[in-house]
């Protein structure tokens, strides 16, 4: 990729799998233990707030038991060294990219370590459990909820992401099944704007045919090798 200047990287649960965090789909996936409709929709939050808050409390607590893996560190190394534009768009709500040192990073589906006020939309960093009715320090309402984009809600940072896709020369998708939009459509958008496209995934994703190149294997091997090919 000789004339690569601007890079957009999309990551999904597969990049955190080797750190020990469950993916959503596939053997042992998060959605196997739960029904999406029961824990990741506004209706579920209204119907059974305790269940939804407990689901995210458990995932937030799990963060303390895992570490970034070589794939997270490789992307952070690229972020620090890359002279052109670079944006990591993660669908993940864990903090492993941050802990590996990534800076040019956006969470399109929210973050476990953030609480959102359903009344005033203020956000605050939050560690530990977040019981329903927790009080917002900005407005005083007992309305804090997990700062997670539920199915049917608007993903975060879309204008910034779309502008980056329009300007990129290379779009790389890592560890995602291509099952959920709008992220699953980013490859078509990047391709439409003339970018080169590369998929790094354990197995072909639903969108594999849309990528100019696909490499299959564990992210902890594929991502450091890809970053080395760009930096060395
Ligand atoms: N290395 C690389 N890829 C991997 C690895 C690994 N070690 N392990 C699993 N994968 C791949 C799987 O093959 C799969 O294609 O990661 C992908 C994980 O897919 P999903 O479980 O569907 O996760 P993701 O694509 O991130 O889901 C997108 O769906 O449920 C919503 O909001 C949730 O952000 C999530 C979105």
């Amino acid at each position: 990729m000789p004339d690569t200047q601007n890079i957009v990287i999309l990551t999904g649960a597969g990049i955190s799998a080797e750190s020990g965090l469950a993916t959503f789909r596939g053997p042992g996936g998060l959605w196997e233990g739960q029904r999406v409709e029961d824990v990741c929709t506004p209706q579920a939050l209204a119907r059974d707030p305790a269940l939804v808050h407990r689901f995210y409390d458990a995932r937030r607590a799990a963060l303390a038991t895992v570490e970034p893996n070589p794939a997270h560190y490789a992307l952070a190394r690229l972020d620090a060294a890359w002279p052109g534009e670079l944006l990591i768009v993660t669908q993940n709500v864990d903090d492993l990219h941050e802990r590996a040192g990534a800076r040019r990073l956006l969470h399109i589906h929210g973050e476990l370590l953030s609480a959102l006020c359903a009344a005033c939309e203020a956000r605050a960093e939050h560690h530990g459990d977040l019981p329903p009715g927790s009080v917002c320090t900005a407005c005083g309402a007992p309305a804090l909820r997990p700062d997670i984009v539920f199915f049917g809600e608007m993903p975060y940072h879309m204008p910034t992401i779309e502008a980056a896709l329009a300007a990129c020369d290379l779009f790389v998708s890592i560890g995602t099944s291509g099952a959920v939009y709008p992220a699953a459509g980013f490859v078509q958008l990047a391709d439409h704007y003339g970018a080169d496209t590369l998929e790094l995934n354990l197995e072909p994703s639903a969108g594999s045919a849309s990528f100019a190149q696909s490499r299959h294997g564990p992210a902890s091997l594929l991502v450091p090798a890809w970053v080395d090919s760009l930096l060395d």
Side-chain angles (χ1 to χ4, degrees), residues 12-14 18 23-25 31 91 109 175-177 180 201-203 219:
E18 290 165 90
T23 61
F24 292 95
R25 298 163 184 88
W31 294 149
Q91 300 174 92
H109 291 160
T176 182
S177 61
V180 174
N201 206 57
L202 193 61
E203 70 230 339

Side-chain angles (χ1 to χ4, degrees), residues 1-9 74-75 77-79 81-87 104 169-172 174 196 198 200 213 215 222-232:
M1 300 161 196
D3 53 354
T4 302
Q5 289 300 319
N6 302 337
I7 306 174
V8 173
I9 300 162
L75 291 190
R77 182 161 62 90
L78 179 63
D79 184 7
W82 191 252
E85 295 295 316
L86 180 139
L87 179 62
R104 294 184 274 184
D169 313 287
L170 175 60
F171 173 74
V172 184
I174 302 170
D196 199 355
L198 169 65
L200 305 177
Q213 284 184 63
R215 294 176 200 155
L222 290 184
V223 179
W226 170 64
V227 168
D228 288 346
S229 73
L230 277 186
L231 295 182
D232 297 351

Side-chain angles (χ1 to χ4, degrees), residues 106-227:
L106 291 177
H107 285 266
I108 187 173
H109 291 160
E111 300 175 65
L112 285 169
L113 295 180
S114 173
L116 172 67
C117 178
C120 74
E121 299 195 340
R123 285 182 170 81
E125 188 172 329
H126 187 85
H127 297 259
D129 289 352
L130 181 69
S134 295
V135 172
C136 170
T137 53
C139 75
L144 288 184
R145 56 163 274 188
D147 187 10
I148 301 290
V149 177
F150 290 150
F151 285 96
E153 294 182 327
M154 180 61 75
Y156 296 160
H157 309 297
M158 286 305 293
T160 304
I161 294 167
E162 283 160 351
L165 289 167
C168 77
D169 313 287
L170 175 60
F171 173 74
V172 184
S173 176
I174 302 170
T176 182
S177 61
V180 174
Y181 285 80
F186 289 171
V187 58
Q188 279 96 354
L189 209 52
D191 181 61
H192 167 74
Y193 286 113
D196 199 355
T197 55
L198 169 65
E199 176 178 72
L200 305 177
N201 206 57
L202 193 61
E203 70 230 339
S205 72
S208 271
S210 304
F211 288 85
Q213 284 184 63
S214 281
R215 294 176 200 155
H216 299 132
S220 65
L221 297 181
L222 290 184
V223 179
W226 170 64
V227 168

